[in-house]
Amino acid sequence: MSDIKFRLKRQDPRDKENPEAHWEEYTVKYEGENLTVLEGLFYIQESLDPSLSFRYGCGQSICGSCAMYINGAYRLACQTNVKHLAADVITVAPMPHLPLIKDMIVDMDDFFAKYEQIKPWLIRNSPDPEKELIQSAKDAKKIEMPSDCILCGSCYSSCPSAWGEENYLGPAALLKAYRFEVDTRDEAGRERMPDWDNERGVYRCHTIMNCVEACPKELNPTEGIEWLKRAAVRRKVFRRAK
Amino acid sequence: MKAEAVAAHRGGMWAWLFQRITAILLIVCLAIHLTFTHLLNIGDLGYDNVANRLAHGGLTAVDIILLAAGIYHALNGLRMVLLDYWLTSRVRALAVTIFLWAVGIAFLVYGIWGLWPWIGY
Amino acid sequence: MSKKPRETANVGAGLWKATGMWAWLLFRISGLILVFYLGAHIIVISTSQFGVGGGTFDNVMNFLDHPVAIVLDVALVVAVLYHALNGVRIILMDLGVGIHRHKVIFWSAMAVVVVCFVIFAYVAFSYLANDVGPWNGALGVAS
Amino acid sequence: MIHHDVIVVGGGLSGLRAAIEAKRAGVDVAILSQVHPCRSHSGAAQGGINAALGNHPDGADDTWEKHAFDTTKGGDYLVDQDAAIQMAKDAIGIIYEMDHWGCLFSRFNDGRIAQRPFGGAGFPRCCYGLDKTGHYLLHTLVEQAYRLQIKMYVEQYVAKLIVHDGVCQGVVTYDMIHGGFESFTANAVVIATGGAGRTYSNSTNSIISTGSGMFMAYHAGVPLKDMEFVQFHPTGLFTTNILMTEGARGEGGYLVNGLGERFMEKYAPKFMELAPRDITARSIQTEINEGRGVNGQGYVHLDLRHLGAEKILERLPGIRDLAIHFEGVDPIEEPIPVVPSQHYWMGGIDTNVDGATPMPGLYAAGECACVSVHGANRLGGNSLLETIVFGRRAGADVVRYLETLTDKRPNARTAFATAQLMEQMIDELGAKNGTENVYVLRAEMTETMKEHYGLFRDEATMKAGIEKLLSIKERVKNVGLRWTGRVFNVDMIRTVEFEGMVDLALCVAEGALARTESRGAHFRTDHNTRDDVNWLKHTLAYYRPDTPGPRLDAKPVTLGPFELQERKY
């Protein structure tokens, strides 16, 4: 194996001399079989350009820090092996459609504000039992998919509904709402509902499915959002509890 | 994002649900409408011809449902597009919604008026 | 929370290779076309109120028999069929059907679009060629 | 300058739990973290969390006493038994509480929380959520933190403690988003920054697990306890050292050497693959060293194929994904190549059972602290438990501490001066024309730790290791800052934290050299038995600003109801 070219989108809006976005190329040492994009970025930061900024966390695709736009797709840099990209040049850009802070760092404040907006916690009204709450294995299975979300923001960045409308809650927050509404232990009833049963909530989703394409954990936010829409009908039209 | 802006927008389920209901009505009624107007009678569209066809009360009903459902579906669809791009404030969204309802009702009345010569033929 | 300037340099990036993205975009465009068509259609129909014995209406209808209008009609049929069948796909997803197989359903819906379109185009173009429809008067409706 | 009553440094499980406990008592508490709390390394934990619920049919008569005993025995009796008992007692309530907060747990058919067997435990008592238990627990606590509206300052790299008259009064942080240093004053500080796994090159830990909290406290004069005990997980992926959970063996996975033998029957005939981690890891390393690795290479196989696709997909989907993404191996079809990898830091900041350190106002909880419940070797499933149990206890004790304080106004001048000091240090680093590359030194250090302080240690290699570490420590002085921009300066963080990492490495090295016995994870080929007469005691390491290595001291182990016996599995 020989060296490999990385093409990085660089921008420091607060740099007075060069605030504009520009592309820079680096040659990264690529000797062994395996090189992840994150390792490549570390190589650049350590050996070629110390001014490169990017987020990193676990390096094992569970923390959700390093979601980037790599070779035309949303990917976790740590999880992406360059050999699987089958490309001569690795193009890395920050996640598009989000406010930029520097280089690969995007502003996630809105993302988390929206996450907070849907009351992402279990709401219970009845007193807790002494032991665990009984939940069937089948019901526990229902919350597995939405619980696996790592809040990397790929879906939020990829959603055309969120591009045009800054107040749309976005797939990740709505998936979180689904995670709790579908949980048999949750007793929110109508308490959480106004936050997602809302023109800025589930009804802004047009089942474009970009979030499903983008999700590096291969989750399906749309499935959750559609469930919520049906839940709204069940509750408001048929007066059901869940 | 402004939390208040999100909180200010309540509801939306009925609009969404009616969009689906009208969609289904449209598919059924449109299939009937197109079959009778364009497949079975192509080339013969004329005042008397239409009048003959609409003498079957069922087809008149289909056309009126089509008109009402079509207007709702179209204008609500338009509203969806607008909401995606610039109706961020609740006041603006409400104003546009009311305006579109007015336009829709006007078109419905106008459309029925347009069909009237045949209904009373 | 203050409104932050959105990055502009990257707009346009996204998942333009994704099926669902194109499906939605075409859905939206066809929808907007149909909104304007609906308005135009209502206005055309309302000409029944003008002229003696529907004269204006017949004139308009004759004018719309022009080949260009018929080609436009066929294009309109494409928009209607696409919008309708993609709409069916969306309603299926709303019902929880095929969320994990939305692409298969999309292409199946597109197959139905093609079949329906072929029927319509055949009728329309044979009318253009022969000035007569294949099933003219088939149901005994007076001509 | 920003003031909060309590500042929690680190947003992992223990930090969040401490903050939640304090907030519930009505205290003004803030979390400072280098990453958003949901990105903490706690989320990478896979296997599960121990509690003697007795839900498993084979473990119906399990009790917290047995849990405490297993913990003590697993820790080779270097465990403070009062702490182990406390943890085992609290465990049961902790699990129910997490369940009531909505954490996802896998379930038995009757709807109760499922439990699986885990290494070194006499009963199946490990509660789990698939193989992503840490992720589910972490997100549950993040959610609770949002519910209680705990103030979170994210992407704040905490660089230094503010100490006034021997009392901890806050921290100075590097604000990565806005650039620049900020001082946060507080009446109490809880350090919960996790382990220092990244001082080893073969670590399963997050890249952010650099032990920053540990060396921050160490530099402020707080002793570090039992630093020589570093756990190696038996099964990390061969190329990337990413963790393959012990749950894989708990579900019935085999360890197979190059000859196709289940070699664990030689080393732990009764427990087989589910022997404690130190024993399993050494067994694997012995196989590899004696040339019985797969294909003569330095790894053995973790074979899950006989479990069947259905069980793997249902119980272990996460490690399957990891194996596919990072090793290119699908466990359903192929065995996974694994090697022992640095995993956990038994030692840490010296605290009592309530998380209090010897310094007033300073608390520590989680992996960065050493209570010590893990002694010389931690049992799988006890780390998640420790973080939550002692996070909660620290949070509660902080509240009690605040009530005893008469003067609740931290000294603003000291806070300001400490921030100034950091600014100055960065300016000096930036002005310096560095002749050494910090990343070259880092690679040398992590490699030294792996080679010289790994599974098998002996005097000669350890002495050579100390020589290397001392020379690295000397060369750190010639390191400069290559980029002086202030916004999200990754280079600055990685440069500044390096010297502290070397100090931690030296604590490990000196402690290991001094301890002339083999106990738990610390195994010496030249002293291969346990020496309870001379070494049944904790090591304390104190920072000496003028000398490179630490000053070592000892502290007695708290014994209790469990008699010392030989460890056999």
Side-chain angles (χ1 to χ4, degrees), chain A residues 110 113-114 117 160-161 164-167 169 194-195 197-200 203-204 206 226 229-230 232-233 236-237, chain B residues 1-3 5-7 9-17 20 79-81 83-89 93:
Chain A
D110 270 10
K114 289 169 181 178
Q117 177 73 25
S161 291
E165 160 57 295
E166 59 165 341
N167 291 327
L169 293 176
D195 293 306
D197 172 34
N198 183 311
E199 292 280 22
R200 306 294 166 204
Y203 306 112
R204 201 86 271 106
H206 307 304
E226 295 290 33
K229 288 177 185 168
R230 292 196 299 278
V233 175
K236 282 169 136 175
V237 182
Chain B
M1 165 195 136
K2 299 182 195 85
V6 178
H9 289 83
R10 291 279 183 253
M13 185 205 75
W14 291 107
W16 171 81
L17 193 60
R20 267 68 193 160
R79 189 175 139 269
M80 284 285 133
V81 178
L83 274 173
D84 272 358
Y85 298 110
W86 61 273
L87 291 185
T88 39
S89 92

Side-chain angles (χ1 to χ4, degrees), chain D residues 16 35 47 119 140 158 166 229 237 249 279 307 360 385 390 394 513 522:
Chain D
L16 286 165
V35 291
T140 305
V158 177
F229 296 102
L237 281 180
R249 283 169 287 135
I279 294 172
L307 300 178
L385 183 60
F390 292 104
L513 182 65
H522 173 64

Side-chain angles (χ1 to χ4, degrees), chain D residues 329-384:
Chain D
V329 166
D330 185 347
I332 294 174
E333 282 151 15
E334 289 167 87
I336 313 167
V338 290
V339 284
S341 310
Q342 191 285 336
H343 183 57
Y344 186 84
W345 212 266
M346 264 78 73
I349 305 165
D350 179 26
T351 69
N352 67 9
V353 78
D354 284 320
T357 69
M359 179 185 278
L362 184 67
Y363 286 74
E367 192 176 341
C368 67
C370 177
V371 179
S372 93
V373 281
H374 303 313
N377 172 56
R378 176 177 71 82
L379 289 188
N382 268 355
S383 67
L384 287 177

Side-chain angles (χ1 to χ4, degrees), chain D residues 501-535:
Chain D
M501 291 170 76
V502 179
D503 284 337
L504 295 183
L506 276 166
C507 288
V508 176
E510 298 274 8
L513 182 65
R515 190 176 277 271
T516 50
E517 64 156 352
S518 288
R519 184 187 291 273
H522 173 64
F523 189 88
R524 288 183 63 152
T525 48
D526 49 352
H527 297 274
N528 57 10
T529 49
R530 196 169 82 193
D531 179 1
D532 287 332
V533 180
N534 296 314
W535 283 107

